Every structure is written in structure tokens, then in C-alpha cells.
Amino acid sequence: MKNIFGLVVLVLVGLFLVIMLRTLMFSPPYFEMEEQVAFDVDAGLVAQHLSEAVRFKTVSPPEPQRREYKPFDDFLAWAEATYPKFHELEKTVVETHTVLFKWQGTNSDLKPILLAAHYDVVPVVPGTEESWDHPPFDGVIADGQVWGRGSLDDKSGVILMMEAATLLLEQGFEPERTVYFSFDHDEEIGGNEGAAGVVKLLKEQGVQLAWSIDEGSFILKDMYPGMDVPIASINIAEKGYMTLDLVAHGDSGHSSMPTKDASIFLLASAIERLRENPIPGGLEGVSLDAMDVIARHMSFTRRMLFANRWLFQSVIEKELSKVPPMNASLRTTTAPTLLSAGIKDNVLPGTATATVNFRIHPRDTHEGVIEMVRQIINDDRIEIIHWDKGSVASGESDSQAAGFEVIAKVSRQMFGPVVVIPGMTGAGTNSKHYASVADDAYRINLLVVGPEDIAGFHGTNERISVENLGLGTAAYAQLITLGTVE
Ligand SMILES: [Zn+2]
């Protein structure tokens, strides 16, 4: 008995030592501080330009045929007048309002790169106009910020790229590699004209890009609990998109004699089951690579958990699942977004419909998720209808390739000691198009944002700081400088 007790103590002490040793070894990797690079940027002027750009109501409506083209024409004319030097580059108009610029490199043996951004914006949700501190299309500059729809998503991208290129053109800079710039007009409704048109054109010309960079992430500040350094999440993949209608077929009739099988009861149970049973997920692939870097900068307890995943994997996954952005990186997410049923308060409707949106993790397929949903609901009175619009998750770009390294280096040079991770974008971006003509497609805007800024993304009080615009312009100039050499 004494021997067994002694053995248990020995094993526990051994386990404790292993856990502690692994935790102590689980520290941030050492990297040389990059020398900070300075460009002579007039941030106030960049802000002024973005402010003017915001005023064009280049709204992408849900149905493309409802698009009003005048603001798009006006925006493009304004850009040409504001950035004349940039507009001396070879320009091609694609699918009506996307513009592709080509800055010819001195060495045509090298694969070109592409910088892309979109200048269409999402509508302001009707009824929320009054909640904006400054009207969404006035381009007000106040409190050190440029306010308005598109200031973050993604007119700032377009403006910074034109500013950066102009800066370099004025300095007489000549890229070795050819640089393309694509400014897209329909990203918010899928990019099936603009980005798809650019891809078609490049394919026809036999152009294969070394890499592309487009929106899909930022340099994130205060976004992860316990992290005091900003994180440059250079996203190498994006999730897919699928929408299902769940149609409950239940008892209809007069509301004075309801049954338990009324369609709305059936539908409510089905939705409740989806809430209680998320699509299975796990920490692996890109999400694991990212957390492996982030966790090294966290508190001792968190480091201990991550350093000993062999023991704590399920605890970690459970904890991560409680934080929505983390949860989204672990699994295909389930989001009920629309409900409809009934015509009158005293009539039991025979059918009730819920629309549920899923963001498909790379490990899942549409068919696989539909089957899981069927099993979770487990009720053949619920019909499942698959919307045909959707997309599969992207492939993964290389987080060791030269393009990734350049973006990482520029992030450190321009924004100080940031932690660089590979990441995955939860929403769809035009990279799903560009990836087909690029060896690697990266998704990040070189701007520092925090939780409050992110809230404005497709939301209320969208804005970007003037300081950011200055740094961002310099960052893109440096990206073009370093990204175009062999
Ligand atoms: Zn966007």
C-alpha cells in the first residue's frame, strides 16, 4: 500500500515537472527588432482624400441590377483627378467599374504581385442613421478620425494604395517586379464581375502572380484577452458560405385548439437543437498555428494549457469555444438569421421557415454539414432546402513563402513589435477569386484596429484614425518597395 502511494506521488511529481518544464519552454520566439522605416507622408492630406472618397455613395445593393452607377463613375473621375501621377500607369476598365492598373517592372522574368481593395460599400442599415455620431456619407474628420461608411471597409485600402504608389512614383522608384492594383466595385456582393473579370483577364494574358494582398484582416490591437502586443494576422485562408432554409411542416388550423405539432413549435425545437449542438470542431491547422504563437504571449496559466495540449486539448477547445471569434476559427458556425411564418394572430400556420447561415470551416463540405444538420434536428417534418448561392472554404496559402515574409517584415517595420500569425478570414473576400491566379493569396489591411473599430465594420460609426492613415500609407509604400525586389 505504501509502495503504491509512493508510486502515485512520484508519477504526480513527474507529471507536474513535465507540465512546468514545457510551460517554461513555451515562450515567444526571439526575433530581431526591425529597424523602423520612415516615409514623408502628410497624414492630414491622406485623411482629406479619404474624407472626399467617403462622400461618393458607392453602395452595393443586395441585387446588382438595382445598382446606381453614377456615384461609381464620379468616384473614378475623382480618383483620376486626385491621383494624376498614379493614373499615368497602364489602366484597364473591367466589367464596367473595376479598374486594374499595371506598374510595369524592370524585370519581366519575375512574377508580378497584386494589391487589391474595393471601393463599393455596404448600405447603412435603415433606421440606424441617427445612431451615427457623424452622418455616414459626409466624410467628417473629427477627433482624429475620418468617419463614414467605407472609411475602414475598404475605401481606406484603395486610398492608401494610390497614396503609396504616388509617393514612390514621385521619388522615381522603379519596381523590379510588375505590380498590379485592382480597385473593385462589387466585392460586397461577391466580386463576380470585378475581381472575377480581373482574374479572367490575367488568365487570358497568361499572368500568374507571385502573390496577392487584399482585405480580410488587420493588425489587431486589444483583440485577444491577455495580449498586450498587437497581432498582425496575415490570413492565408477564408471560410466558405452556405445558407439553408429549414421549413417546418406542422398542424394548421384555428389557434383556439393548438397542438404540440404546430409548425412554429417544431421549428423552435429544431433551432434549439442547433443551438445546443454546434457543428463539431477542433483546434488544428491554421487556427492551431495561430494560437501556438499567440498563447506564448499570454498569462502563465494559459501558457501552461497550450504548452501541454497533449493533456489539456479538450479544456482549451472548450474555453476557446466560448469566445465567438475563437469559436469561429474552430468550426463551421451556425447562425439563424431570418424567420417567417403565419398570416394572422389567430391562425396556426401550416409551415414555418427559418433561414440559417453557416460559415464553412475548411475541414467541412456543404453536403457534410447538411447531413450533420439533418442528424442534429432529427425530425423529418423539417424540410431542409439548400440555397444555391454559397462558396466552399478556400485552400491555404503558404505562411512560409516570400510574400508572407515581406508582409510580416513590413508590419514589424512600420508598426513596431507586433506578433505575426497566419489566420483565417471568417467572411468572404475577393481573394477567393485572386487565389486562382496567385501562388499565394494573403488577406490583411495594413492598419491597426481595435474592438471599437471592428464594431464599425458593416456597422455603425465606421471610422479610421488619421494617424493610422499616415502609417498605412507608409506601410504600403514599404510593401511595394520590398515586395517588388527579387
Ligand atoms: Zn470589405
Side-chain angles (χ1 to χ4, degrees):
M1 193 64 198
K2 213 174 157 191
N3 280 352
I4 292 177
F5 181 72
L7 194 66
V8 169
V9 169
L10 201 66
V11 168
L12 287 178
V13 169
L15 193 62
F16 176 78
L17 287 177
V18 169
I19 290 173
M20 284 305 128
L21 193 65
R22 291 185 64 98
T23 307
L24 292 174
M25 284 162 59
F26 191 68
S27 53
Y30 175 79
F31 56 76
E32 296 258 344
M33 278 290 289
E34 297 286 350
E35 202 176 312
Q36 305 289 295
V37 180
F39 281 89
D40 192 12
V41 180
D42 181 348
L45 187 62
V46 180
Q48 184 57 42
H49 288 157
L50 178 60
S51 148
E52 289 168 19
V54 165
R55 289 175 214 160
F56 299 96
K57 292 187 178 174
T58 50
V59 177
S60 268
E63 308 94 49
Q65 63 274 19
R66 272 181 47 216
R67 182 190 298 277
E68 210 199 306
Y69 278 115
K70 180 149 192 322
F72 290 79
D73 289 324
D74 291 348
F75 174 84
L76 294 178
W78 168 85
E80 187 160 0
T82 309
Y83 301 100
K85 192 100 187 145
F86 181 78
H87 280 74
E88 287 171 15
L89 299 176
E90 185 187 322
K91 175 180 144 187
T92 314
V93 178
V94 181
E95 295 292 334
T96 77
H97 286 81
T98 284
V99 274
L100 179 71
F101 294 89
K102 182 182 181 185
W103 190 352
Q104 180 64 50
T106 54
N107 184 349
S108 36
D109 291 340
L110 300 178
K111 281 182 180 170
I113 60 170
L114 166 76
L115 280 65
H118 66 91
Y119 70 96
D120 64 324
V121 298
V122 290
V124 171
V125 178
T128 65
E129 296 87 350
E130 295 303 310
S131 314
W132 288 68
D133 290 354
H134 302 282
F137 292 104
D138 281 9
V140 170
I141 304 175
D143 308 320
Q145 313 268 348
V146 179
W147 299 76
R149 179 60 85 226
S151 56
L152 189 58
D153 179 23
D154 182 22
K155 278 181 178 163
S156 43
V158 176
I159 297 301
L160 295 186
M161 288 172 193
M162 287 196 287
E163 295 282 348
T166 299
L167 197 72
L168 294 175
L169 284 163
E170 281 170 353
Q171 289 176 359
F173 174 80
E174 289 187 331
E176 260 186 79
R177 243 176 240 284
T178 295
V179 193
Y180 287 95
F181 299 87
S182 185
F183 301 141
D184 306 324
H185 77 282
D186 64 339
E187 190 281 335
E188 296 292 1
I189 48 171
N192 294 320
E193 294 177 2
V198 167
V199 164
K200 188 165 164 261
L201 183 77
L202 293 179
K203 277 187 178 164
E204 280 166 9
Q205 295 174 353
V207 175
Q208 173 71 13
L209 304 163
W211 50 274
S212 62
I213 181 168
D214 193 7
E215 65 173 354
S217 176
F218 293 99
I219 294 164
L220 306 165
K221 210 171 92 180
D222 305 326
M223 293 285 280
Y224 290 83
M227 281 288 292
D228 49 5
V229 262
I231 299 172
S233 181
I234 304 173
N235 290 3
I236 60 172
E238 69 187 54
K239 292 176 88 177
Y241 189 103
M242 180 179 82
T243 300
L244 300 178
D245 274 347
L246 309 180
V247 186
H249 297 273
D251 293 340
S252 55
H254 199 277
S255 69
S256 61
M257 287 176 291
T259 75
K260 283 191 170 174
D261 293 333
S263 61
I264 293 179
F265 284 146
L266 299 181
L267 186 64
S269 307
I271 295 171
E272 177 61 10
R273 266 171 253 152
L274 289 177
R275 190 174 91 107
E276 290 306 313
N277 299 281
I279 302 295
L283 187 60
E284 59 183 39
V286 187
S287 318
L288 175 59
D289 292 346
M291 281 313 299
D292 187 70
V293 179
I294 294 172
R296 289 168 195 268
H297 296 264
M298 289 185 159
S299 67
F300 184 83
T301 321
R302 288 196 168 105
R303 279 201 347 255
M304 187 185 72
L305 292 176
F306 280 95
N308 295 282
R309 280 195 304 110
W310 59 279
L311 190 59
F312 299 123
Q313 179 88 4
S314 61
V315 180
I316 294 170
E317 287 175 354
K318 217 170 145 193
E319 286 307 306
L320 290 177
S321 299
K322 291 177 187 166
V323 187
M326 303 282 191
N327 180 50
S329 72
L330 299 189
R331 58 168 45 83
T332 293
T333 50
T334 305
T337 49
L338 297 167
L339 274 178
S340 71
I343 46 152
K344 204 164 178 293
D345 71 329
N346 62 354
V347 177
L348 283 176
T351 60
T353 303
T355 300
V356 187
N357 181 240
F358 296 85
R359 299 303 171 106
I360 308 293
H361 191 276
R363 76 169 75 77
D364 293 325
T365 61
H366 285 208
E367 292 67 32
V369 172
I370 292 171
E371 192 43 43
M372 280 186 260
V373 167
R374 198 182 301 284
Q375 286 173 17
I376 291 167
I377 293 175
N378 191 25
D379 185 344
D380 52 20
R381 292 167 294 181
I382 308 284
E383 186 189 352
I384 298 174
I385 299 171
H386 185 189
W387 287 26
D388 50 6
K389 223 173 94 182
S391 59
V392 294
S394 72
E396 278 179 23
S397 292
D398 189 351
S399 61
Q400 313 288 327
F404 189 97
E405 289 303 324
V406 167
I407 300 167
K409 188 179 174 77
V410 170
S411 302
R412 293 195 189 106
Q413 285 178 326
M414 308 312 298
F415 301 99
V418 300
V419 171
V420 176
I421 58 166
M424 182 165 59
T425 301
T429 74
N430 270 342
S431 285
K432 63 179 171 289
H433 300 290
Y434 295 129
S436 64
V437 281
D439 293 353
D440 293 293
Y442 301 114
R443 301 156 179 87
I444 186 171
N445 276 15
L446 300 175
L447 294 166
V448 182
V449 305
E452 285 187 3
D453 303 301
I454 293 289
F457 206 90
H458 289 206
T460 299
N461 281 330
E462 186 175 346
R463 63 184 188 270
I464 184 76
S465 74
V466 175
E467 186 192 3
N468 240 320
L469 293 170
L471 281 171
T473 300
Y476 281 101
Q478 181 69 352
L479 183 69
I480 296 167
T481 307
L482 295 187
T484 53
V485 290
E486 163 76 279

